[in-house]
Amino acid sequence: MGKTMAPGRRRRATRARRGFTENPDGSYTTPGRGLEVLDNPLLNKGTAFTPAEREELGLDGLLPAAVETLEEQAGRAYAQYLAQPDDLRGNIYLTALQDRNEVLFYRLLGDHLPEMLPVVYDPTIARAIEGYSHEYRRPQGLYLSVDDVAGIERAFSNLGLGAGDVDLVVASDAEEILGIGDWGVGGGAGIAVGKLAVYTAAAGIDPARVVAVALDVGTDNEKLLNDPLYVGNRHSRVRGRRYDDFVDAYVSAATDRFPGAMLHWEDFGPSNARRILERYTGRLPTFNDDMQGTGAIVLAAMLGAARVSGTPMRDQRIVVFGAGTAGIGIADQLRDAMVRDGLRAQEAVRRIWAVDRQGLLTDDMSGLRDFQIPYARPASEVTGWLRDARENGIGLAEVVGRVHPTMLLGTSTAHGAFTEEIVRAMAAAVERPVVFPISNPTSRIEAMPEDLIRWTGGRALVATGIPVAPVTHDGLTHVIGQANNALLYPGLGLGVIVSRARRVSDGMLQAAAEAVGSLADVSTPGASLLPPVGDLREVSATVAVAVARQAAAEGLARVDLPDPVQQVRDAMWQPRYRPVRGS
């Protein structure tokens, strides 16, 4: 089996890309001069260009006289950031900074990651996406149109990148953006760029080796279609065979141009997300964060909860409230964990109850999605269960009262759905109830942790999808872990890149979840079930090593991994200025 050069060594090879050549010593050489250099965000150092660089690159007179360090620039940039009136303007400021100087942007972001992560990504990015067409300044990545399938190859060619120049491509068709729904081309571009920023900040994925892709298939958002400033295709969403052919053309072009790069799918609608992932997952390294990443990070928290409660995975009874793409993706990961703990697959499925808008899913319901069908309960099993008078479905309260779940998971975006009555009923039957209301933002969370702790007399084991302050009850402080996918997917991606994995396997996802969970010390009463988001860089390195090792163990690695710990460290890009010379 032939092995190729590891990315840590490949990146040091001399090659031209994006307006410059990276030399073996880490310096850059560019044919650009003057404003062309300053306009390249991967090269631009602003006032940090040395006098010698200014003379050689034709920058004399184009910059003020002071020569500053990156640290000095970062201090000024942080003061400018703090002067922004709100998080949305903070997002716009940081986006503009990234557009002109990527090193300074990532240095600033890395120095203040817990503070800025909610601003550059969820939840603030949703507001930025809503105003994308009105705030549009410059292109971000690739914009591929369903109306010009023949132009996809040409678009990739226009990047000027070769087969060894890209490690990661993030694409979105923006049908289900972060709880705000369909936001067309701005959603696709904004969410892909934002995701890549987290990959780089958290795991050191080289920003010169990634591509963001907006798959513009139209939009069903009437507000966008009627907006004269909207910059995307002005027609309803294309579906069916034409949609599939477009996605196939994208995948073909991306994999032909960048063989071995991981393709990340983000914020696709429930009718497409799982179908697309299953179509390509056996053929190339591909990953859907909404399904697999969310599932794995919840599993990481659940493994910690199982250690605290003393209830093994095979004995869990799980109610999933919100049986969409994310909810069922999590159910799949929990099911697989039960199987690894000794259950047969069908036994594991029978220990999960899925509740959606129509109530408990049962096999006599029409209109169930293909991914929901395995979790539909036999109708004969629920004969005599109380049904909601309005919906004629079996509601959450009835399910909890009948099932006595050990775990209650919320992915519904239905604010307040975990009522005091429901939670107290659960806690009456379980010593350490596990309650994960992971919907976000705060306006959509199923219950607030302080209420869950109070309603259960301090016995609940809680993780959320939003950052929450610690909760003190009866003198004990409970640190609430945030089930933030950023704890997992950046390290997963880095592990795939370092190992050059042929695909992303279930075993690699499990390894990622276990690695995240291992970094949380749950032996102390009230401790978080997950590591803090502030430790993202170290968490990502640990996850990457575990993923790379698992890829090697499964025979999926395409490089030798004699020292995966060092290879991961070597592959992590650092935000520091490199010497720049003219060619």
Side-chain angles (χ1 to χ4, degrees), residues 268-323:
F268 284 72
S271 63
N272 292 317
R274 179 178 293 263
R275 193 170 54 83
I276 288 173
L277 182 66
E278 291 177 348
R279 184 188 311 167
Y280 302 111
T281 195
R283 296 162 39 188
L284 52 95
T286 189
F287 170 72
N288 184 306
D289 188 44
D290 305 300
M291 293 168 50
Q292 296 168 297
T294 303
I297 195 62
V298 170
L299 173 59
M302 186 59 193
L303 293 174
R307 294 198 299 272
V308 175
S309 69
T311 303
M313 287 302 301
R314 62 181 176 273
D315 292 336
Q316 299 290 339
R317 298 183 304 278
I318 299 169
V319 171
V320 177
F321 184 59

Side-chain angles (χ1 to χ4, degrees), residues 384-397:
W385 288 30
L386 182 66
R387 292 181 177 271
D388 186 280
R390 292 172 298 174
E391 303 293 338
N392 198 37
I394 299 171
L396 179 62

